[in-house]
Each structure stands twice: as structure tokens, then as C-alpha cells.
Amino acid sequence: MKTLRVLLVDVSNVTLDTTVDMLEYPLGLVYVGTALREAFGEKVNVRIESFEHKTGAVAGLETILAEYRPEVLGLRSLTMGREPLHRIASLAKSEHGISYVIAGGPHASDNPQDVLDNHAFDGAVVGEGERTARDLIGRILEGGSLRRIPGLAVRQNGRAYLHTHRPPIEDLDELPVPDYSLVDFLGINRGHVDFSFRRDTPHANLFTSRGCPYRCLYCHQVFGKRMRVHSPERIMQEIRILHDKYGVRSFQIIDDIFNLDRERAMQFYDLVVREGLDLTFSFPNGLRGDRVDPEMIDAMWAAGVRYISYAVETGSPRIQKLIRKNLKLEHIQETIALSTAKGIVTRGFFMIGFPKETEEEAFMTVEF
């Protein structure tokens, strides 16, 4: 039986040659690869790589393409990685003769036309990739056409054509637990914890929910405007695997808004305490600060939360309304004070230069 070789690559772009390797393992692609393994077993051979676009990096990726010889190449990127995304696709098709080159991730979802303007691409996955990738690989194994696959945009008369959008996955617990044997996740990040900047500390990322109901004007809509979640028990199952099999004790929860559902968040903290594993958690993407209260801070500390980013954005009440963030500034000030008093290291996200923002309002943010 012939095995289909599938290579999934996370493409990132940097503007500076960093002295510290900031690559993180691509958890989204691990979800996709796990879905493919579950669906097709030994019919597919899945390999996952992270690629950081800087001096000398393309040569390393070319070596992988030449040695692994994938028949399907999936490239995931943000829009800031658009340039290397296109460059890699063109190189893969023209120099390595890869049969199927597919784009996915935020840029492909936001702008499938830009992707398909490059004839090196055979399709662009719009939205969540697990089920679309499963259907796509199924078609390839059957020798069928890539047309009319929900969630996959293809080229038609020079335009990106999406037959139908794929509905979001409502119950995330239906997805299999990520198969971490697909990626050298401890090797890729070299033990570097991105948020806490502690070297040589093995860590893992947890993505426990998708979607956010808030309407902040500057934010993405990749996962939609409804929150969909893994249950606390399912999160703990993944933590147990990472702890017992890989020795991981430090976890970054990379959700957009983990604490939207207060009851779920509190159940998770309580479950961690009852497991008694002595774990450390950080929230590098941010918690909604005006949804945090003293009881929640106590629960977070007891569960091992030691680092939190609070996304404040602006110290101007008028700009808060303008950008539809509508954060209660007095509440977030109290939250920061209570967090730091407890011993939790906090940092803030801020932006200056919104349209119509005055100099006085910019300095309100600085003062905050």
C-alpha cells in the first residue's frame, strides 16, 4: 500500500535577526496532523515543521523538501508571513514538483484570493482546518477533484471560489487530543518559555477555546464571534499526557479569552488543585481583566498561575468606546493591583495611534 507523504509547515516572518530562537511549535498544525492520522492511519505519513524566514532558513527547508519529497505541502501563515509563504509555494511547485500545495491559517482564511493569485497554490483552507484537511486528503487518496470541498477555496476563472463555508466545530471535545509525537515540540522551542523568558524550562501550549464574542475593531475574526470550548476534564487529560509522558510542568494557555465563561475557568482551576501536580500556568495572550475578581485571582494562584497579560489597549475612555473594547478602566486597575499583590507577574498590552486619537489621549495611555 502506497503511503501519501504530507508535510505541514508553519511559516513565520521576522524583521530582525533575533539572537534567541523564538519559534514555537505549531499547535494548530498538530491538531490537523492528528486529525489526519486518526482518519487515515498508515495511509498517510505526516511530518510537521516550523520555518522562520530569515538568513539561511530557506536552504534548510529546501533540504527537508528534497529529502522527505512530500506529495502534499500545507503552508500555514499569518499575513505578516505572506512573502515567504508565496516564495516557498513557488519554489515547492517549480523546483520540487510537489503535486498539491495548499495554504491555511489566518492569511489564507482572510484573503484566499491573494493566495490563489499565485498559481503555485492548488487551494486555500478557509477557517478551521481539521475537517477540511481530512476531506482534502481523502479526495487525493481517491484520485478525485479538490472542487466542492466545504471550507476549501480553489481557483475558478482566475478567482478564488469557495463552494461553501464549513461550519465551525461546536464541541471541541470531539477533536482528538493532539498527538505530540508529530512534532519535536521540546526541541523546537529549546525549552524557552516565550512569556516568562525562563531558559531551559520545558513547556507546552494549551489552546482550550476558540472564538470571542467581543467586537474590538482591531481584532481578528478567524475563529468567529462565539466562544467554543474544551471542557475542563478534556484540558486536564491533555495536561496529564504532557506531564506524564514528556515531563512538562509549565503551560501557556494561549486562548483569546479563557475567562469568558467564569464557571468553566473556576472548575478548571479547582481541577488542577485537586490533581496536585505542582504546575505553573501563564496567559500570554491576555485575560479579559474586567472579568477577573478577587475570588478568581485566589483560585488562579492556587492552581499555579504566575504570569498574566492584561490587554488594556488605551487609557482613554473615549478611545475604549471608539475601538469597542469598552474595558472598565477602574476595574482593570484594581485587577492588576490584586494580581501583583498576590504575587502574579503581570504585563499589559497597549496601543497608541488610533484614528482620531488626540495627543492628550495618547498620554492618558502612557500615564495608565
Side-chain angles (χ1 to χ4, degrees), residues 177-198:
V177 175
D179 182 351
Y180 287 92
S181 69
L182 282 165
V183 61
D184 180 14
F185 75 101
L186 294 179
I188 287 176
N189 60 46
R190 292 172 173 80
H192 172 71
V193 180
D194 181 57
F195 178 76
S196 65
F197 298 103
R198 291 179 298 157

Side-chain angles (χ1 to χ4, degrees), residues 27 39 79 83 91 102-103 107 126 129 168 190 192 197 199 212 220-221 249 265 295 327-328 341 353 360 365:
L27 183 55
T79 296
E83 180 183 347
L91 182 145
I102 308 295
H107 182 61
V126 177
R190 292 172 173 80
H192 172 71
F197 298 103
R199 297 291 187 88
C212 172
H220 71 86
Q221 299 188 37
R249 292 180 176 274
E295 184 184 9
L327 191 71
K328 301 176 181 66
E360 180 184 4
T365 301

Side-chain angles (χ1 to χ4, degrees), residues 84-116:
L85 176 79
H86 281 284
R87 181 181 173 191
I88 293 167
S90 298
L91 182 145
K93 187 69 80 171
S94 64
E95 300 296 327
H96 296 271
I98 295 175
S99 301
Y100 298 94
V101 181
I102 308 295
H107 182 61
S109 295
D110 184 63
N111 197 346
Q113 185 63 55
D114 176 71
V115 168
L116 293 171

